[in-house]
Amino acid sequence: MELVKRTAMELAAIATAAVPGLTPVGFAALSDDAEDFDSALVVDALKHRWRVRSPRHDEASMRLEAELSALRAFSAKVRASLPFSLPAVAGTVRQGPLRTFVYKDMPGHVPSLDELVDVGSNLAKSLGNCMAAIHQIPDEAVEVAGLPTYTADEIRQRKLNELDTAAATGKVPSRLLRRWEHAMEDVALWRFNAAEVHGDFDEEQLQISHSSITAVKGWTDLHVGDPADDFAWLSAIEDQSFSERVFSAYVEARGKAADPHIMRRAALAAEFALAQWLVKSLDSKDYERIAEAEEMLRELDQNIAEYGGQPLSVVEAPRPLAAQPETSSQKVPEKPVAISVPSINTDKVTALAAEPPKSATPQGASPQDQQDSGESADQPTADADEAGSDSSTPSKQEPAQKPADQEKEAAEAQSSADGTADAQKPAQDENEPAKDAGK
């Protein structure tokens, strides 16, 4: 993705093309989302102030187009119901596929987080009322502009899908993955009514004067979704009492429509934003930001391990049982673990190795067959001698003697067969003279 960067002087020159008659006499760079936009403040000859915002790539340009659609969709009635001013687009100019927007500057100034806290409870109440007013904007305004609309269940499922993507990188600590997954699967946490959400709400989108909010800008991510997303930035404020005062004012303004679990989901959104940033950095192959995201995830993991972190789930996550300390009186000698191995029946193995030969040689067998039979009988004898010679294993001695008995029987059978053969030979010789005499 090719980035187009512009200086404050270049933006001032572009503003003259977008707004006829604008003659810049001064300009200065403004803080903005450095990944997506370049911004500048321009002062003309009549002391009028203009804010110039230029996208760096196509996606950022589409966000500015969405903001223009949203601002046009806000009716006069909606604008009158809001306790702050909305941006007004004075002109645009297209350069290639990107379009630069020029807005009339609004009263007040952009505060820092420390300034918000220092101003005190009056500003906290004003901020809570401001956020409540945004979440009470009718959904029709977003629908008319053709902007995204999500239900509570769709939001939860999108989070789970993003969690799977983050886990697949192998760069997110397992403790954080388990913590986020438990919160996302806690159905009670996600029972809320979707509302109009600013989508990019933080201190940089505010204009304040004294202890009140005069304007809210940066409507590029307007949609119907989870109101907790607009509270996520408050997690960066160390003074939790300020966030509590903001939420109290919000609940008072919204009444029964306020969701009691907003701050839990806001804390989840703030933590999970680090994983989303890691995935985005991996997609763009920005190795410097990948390293920064990994470091921030490790720091978050260590802080949660040490301090526990803010509660996320309505239902408490299961915790592993603590190991019981062992005392000297409780220690029991450990028994060796018995490993199951296949048992071998030695009787069957021996019988297979010493199968007895036939008790008699068939009559009329040739001397070669008798010799083979004798050799077969001699083989078990050798095996039996080896088995019987092992006297170091008394439990196997009795089975080893069986081949010896079989050898004795085989020897007797062999002797009987030899005697029968010798007895047959004279009878055969006596019959030969009788055959000659008959001839």
Side-chain angles (χ1 to χ4, degrees), residues 151-164:
T151 64
D153 187 62
E154 289 172 342
I155 294 168
R156 186 175 76 94
Q157 190 57 53
R158 283 166 59 90
K159 296 281 188 184
L160 286 169
N161 294 340
E162 291 176 346
L163 180 64
D164 291 340

Side-chain angles (χ1 to χ4, degrees), residues 143-178:
E143 295 174 357
V144 169
L147 299 177
T149 300
Y150 304 105
T151 64
D153 187 62
E154 289 172 342
I155 294 168
R156 186 175 76 94
Q157 190 57 53
R158 283 166 59 90
K159 296 281 188 184
L160 286 169
N161 294 340
E162 291 176 346
L163 180 64
D164 291 340
T165 303
T169 65
K171 297 179 179 295
V172 182
S174 59
R175 190 196 333 269
L176 296 181
L177 293 175
R178 291 193 301 268

Side-chain angles (χ1 to χ4, degrees), residues 57-330:
H57 49 79
D58 292 342
E59 182 181 350
S61 181
M62 293 175 61
R63 291 176 60 192
L64 288 179
E65 297 287 350
E67 180 185 38
L68 179 61
S69 299
L71 293 176
R72 287 175 174 174
F74 288 155
S75 63
K77 182 179 180 180
V78 170
R79 290 175 178 268
S81 66
L82 298 176
F84 50 81
S85 299
L86 292 173
V89 178
T92 65
V93 60
R94 183 177 296 278
Q95 292 180 316
L98 307 179
R99 184 153 66 147
T100 299
F101 286 71
V102 180
Y103 307 85
K104 293 180 180 179
D105 194 34
M106 295 174 287
H109 67 278
V110 178
S112 64
L113 284 177
D114 293 337
E115 183 180 357
L116 288 177
V117 176
D118 293 341
V119 171
S121 58
N122 289 336
L123 185 57
K125 184 176 181 179
S126 177
L127 186 57
N129 293 334
C130 169
M131 299 173 76
I134 293 174
H135 297 166
Q136 289 174 335
I137 295 175
D139 295 349
E140 291 78 6
V142 171
E143 295 174 357
V144 169
L147 299 177
T149 300
Y150 304 105
T151 64
D153 187 62
E154 289 172 342
I155 294 168
R156 186 175 76 94
Q157 190 57 53
R158 283 166 59 90
K159 296 281 188 184
L160 286 169
N161 294 340
E162 291 176 346
L163 180 64
D164 291 340
T165 303
T169 65
K171 297 179 179 295
V172 182
S174 59
R175 190 196 333 269
L176 296 181
L177 293 175
R178 291 193 301 268
R179 172 179 168 87
W180 298 336
E181 182 180 22
H182 183 267
M184 293 176 188
E185 291 182 347
D186 185 357
V187 179
L189 186 65
W190 301 91
R191 291 175 181 156
F192 65 89
N193 293 322
E196 195 105 356
V197 177
H198 182 279
D200 193 26
F201 201 92
D202 58 20
E203 74 279 5
E204 292 185 354
Q205 310 302 341
L206 301 176
Q207 298 273 127
I208 69 170
S209 178
H210 302 293
S211 59
S212 63
I213 296 175
T214 58
V216 177
K217 54 185 184 291
W219 297 81
T220 56
D221 297 321
L222 181 68
H223 65 280
V224 174
D226 186 358
D229 290 347
D230 286 345
F231 284 84
W233 66 284
L234 292 174
S235 298
I237 299 178
E238 295 183 0
D239 186 0
Q240 291 300 314
S241 62
F242 179 83
S243 301
E244 292 172 358
R245 290 195 297 269
V246 172
F247 183 64
S248 297
Y250 175 85
V251 172
E252 183 179 354
R254 294 214 67 189
K256 294 181 180 180
D259 173 16
H261 303 313
I262 278 184
M263 299 308 291
R264 292 178 183 268
R265 294 197 309 278
L268 171 63
E271 292 181 10
F272 192 55
L274 296 179
Q276 293 171 317
W277 186 40
L278 171 65
V279 172
K280 187 175 182 180
S281 300
L282 287 170
D283 290 341
S284 62
K285 297 181 179 179
D286 189 331
Y287 299 106
E288 182 178 354
R289 292 188 177 180
I290 292 172
E292 291 177 359
E294 290 184 274
E295 179 61 26
M296 296 177 71
L297 285 168
R298 282 193 293 268
E299 291 179 0
L300 175 62
D301 182 53
Q302 293 172 0
N303 290 337
I304 290 176
E306 185 173 357
Y307 303 109
Q310 299 184 35
L312 302 183
S313 306
V314 178
V315 179
E316 186 177 359
R319 298 180 180 179
L321 296 176
Q324 297 294 333
E326 294 184 356
T327 61
S328 57
S329 60
Q330 292 177 338

